[in-house]
């Protein structure tokens, strides 16, 4: 356990918590968390997880821009439902991408669980995309991903990160509940596009 890993845990919780509350500020804070985890994973020689943080940074920048432009109700971003076709399409695209990444990790790295890492990495990219698009379905996906990461980090003896992902499961459940309530409440749009 390092100070860097503990800092990454705290910043991650803050970013996810703000996103669950539908606050734009969750995106730059999550961006900082991804940069911190890039270093944590690189120090642990977890190259796929480290590279995933670079991809996350790109999605986090896009999410930050999209949410900054999104319609608001009072101070929070308005969420939306995705149609079943989009969810199935993204899921169908994730499977071959995960298999290809798993094969690459197995062949060119010393990753002890290449297909697990690959599947979770690809699913995480889908989760980031759905979160940026404000799809409520992002939260049950995050619950599944984060639960799997808890097990993976326990196996890798990364207890602070395993504890973080256990908290993220709870935050994702809260986010799902919060967004569901918001989707059922008639939106009062604010006149401003700036949000915190």
């Amino acid at each position: 356990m390092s100070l860097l890993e503990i800092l990454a845990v705290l910043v991650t919780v803050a970013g996810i918590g703000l996103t669950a509350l539908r606050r734009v500020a969750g995106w730059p804070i999550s961006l900082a968390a991804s940069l911190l985890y890039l270093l944590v994973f690189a120090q642990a020689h977890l190259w796929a997880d480290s590279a995933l943080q670079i991809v996350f940074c790109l999605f986090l920048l896009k999410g930050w821009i999209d949410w900054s432009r999104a319609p608001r109700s009072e101070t929070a971003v308005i969420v939306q439902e995705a149609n079943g076709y989009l969810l199935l399409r993204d899921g169908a695209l994730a499977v071959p991408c995960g298999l290809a990444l798993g094969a690459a990790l197995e062949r060119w790295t010393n990753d002890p669980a290449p297909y697990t890492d690959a599947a979770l990495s690809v699913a995480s990219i889908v989760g980031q995309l759905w979160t940026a698009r404000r799809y409520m379905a992002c939260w049950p996906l995050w619950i599944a991903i984060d639960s799997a990461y808890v097990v993976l980090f326990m196996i890798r003896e990364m207890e602070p990160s395993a504890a973080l992902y256990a908290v993220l499961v709870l935050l994702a459940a809260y986010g799902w509940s919060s967004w569901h309530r918001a989707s059922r409440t008639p939106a009062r749009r604010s006149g401003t596009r700036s949000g915190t």
Side-chain angles (χ1 to χ4, degrees):
M1 172 183 356
S2 70
L3 238 41
L4 180 64
E5 187 176 5
I6 292 168
L7 179 61
V9 165
L10 295 174
V11 175
T12 299
V13 169
I16 300 295
L18 287 166
T19 303
L21 292 171
R22 299 178 293 126
R23 301 293 190 258
V24 174
W27 292 91
I29 291 172
S30 293
L31 179 63
S34 283
L35 292 171
L36 290 168
Y37 257 108
L38 185 148
L39 297 174
V40 169
F41 291 142
Q43 287 179 349
H45 303 286
L46 299 172
W47 304 116
D49 290 325
S50 190
L52 177 62
Q53 300 311 305
I54 296 168
V55 175
F56 274 177
C57 287
L58 297 174
F59 277 105
L60 289 163
L61 286 170
K62 177 167 178 25
W64 188 2
I65 292 165
D66 289 351
W67 277 41
S68 294
R69 297 176 179 163
R72 306 201 190 286
S73 67
E74 298 173 1
T75 61
V77 171
I78 296 173
V79 300
Q80 58 187 357
E81 292 286 343
N83 69 46
Y85 168 76
L86 290 174
L87 301 179
L88 286 173
R89 180 202 66 193
D90 291 353
L93 288 171
V95 172
C97 290
L99 291 172
L101 179 57
L105 290 172
E106 184 177 51
R107 180 177 175 100
W108 291 303
T109 73
N110 59 352
D111 191 317
Y115 288 95
T116 302
D117 277 350
L120 291 174
S121 295
V122 170
S124 295
I125 291 169
V126 173
Q128 283 289 358
L129 182 63
W130 289 0
T131 306
R133 291 180 177 167
R134 305 181 324 276
Y135 294 163
M136 198 173 329
C138 73
W139 294 112
L141 179 59
W142 283 123
I143 290 169
I145 293 166
D146 294 341
S147 297
Y149 268 120
V150 169
V151 175
L152 188 62
F153 289 139
M154 288 300 291
I155 291 168
R156 290 180 174 172
E157 298 180 358
M158 296 177 68
E159 288 81 10
S161 293
L164 165 65
Y165 277 77
V167 170
L168 293 184
V169 171
L170 298 175
L171 282 173
Y174 171 76
W176 191 11
S177 172
S178 173
W179 284 27
H180 184 70
R181 280 191 312 275
S183 72
R184 301 181 88 190
T185 305
R188 291 187 314 168
R189 295 189 181 208
S190 70
T192 180
R193 284 193 172 268
S194 65
T196 55

